[in-house]
Amino acid sequence: QVQLQEAGPGLVKPSQTLSLTCTVSGGSITTNYIHWSWIRQPPGKALEWIGSITYSGSTDYSPSLKSRSSVSRDTSKNQFTLQLSSVTPEDTAVYYCARGLVNIDYWGQGTQVTVSS
């Protein structure tokens, strides 16, 4: 059973960089053909894909967030991370890490991030 767990600060000030880490257990982030994604859901809005990293370390981003987003990984810790720079209150959301891209089969429980001074 694959499990994902998000970790990071729950409160970030405007203009700062949001950093979240997803720790994966029960499976390797280098398993062939697997994508690992970051997705968020602002209050009252739909889920929004932020970006992904593949088993080989390639990345892909939502065009609307690409200029501020960075997804990376630490294979020794079986973790992947999200950095979102220059945050505003509009970045307030529940942030999820997940396994997959189009077809997601495992989700983390989600972590609330609030952007506020």
Side-chain angles (χ1 to χ4, degrees), residues 4-27:
L4 300 94
Q5 180 67 58
E6 304 91 350
L11 181 64
V12 182
K13 290 183 173 7
S15 80
Q16 291 187 340
T17 296
L18 179 165
S19 294
L20 296 173
T21 297
C22 183
T23 300
V24 179
S25 58

Side-chain angles (χ1 to χ4, degrees), residues 49-71:
W49 173 70
I50 301 169
S52 299
I53 189 164
T54 72
Y55 61 99
S56 63
S58 299
T59 55
D60 196 13
Y61 300 98
S62 166
S64 64
L65 295 169
K66 184 174 183 177
S67 64
R68 298 194 291 127
S69 302
S70 178
V71 180

Side-chain angles (χ1 to χ4, degrees), residues 2 4 27 34-37 97-101 103-107:
V2 175
L4 300 94
I34 299 295
H35 289 69
W36 303 90
S37 296
C97 58
R99 190 179 84 163
L101 182 58
N103 297 308
I104 292 176
D105 54 2
Y106 292 101
W107 294 79

Side-chain angles (χ1 to χ4, degrees), residues 73-95:
R73 65 179 185 169
D74 185 336
T75 57
S76 68
K77 296 180 180 179
N78 215 35
Q79 294 175 334
F80 62 104
T81 63
L82 169 69
Q83 290 195 312
L84 184 65
S85 64
S86 303
V87 297
T88 72
E90 285 66 43
D91 294 309
T92 294
V94 177
Y95 285 76

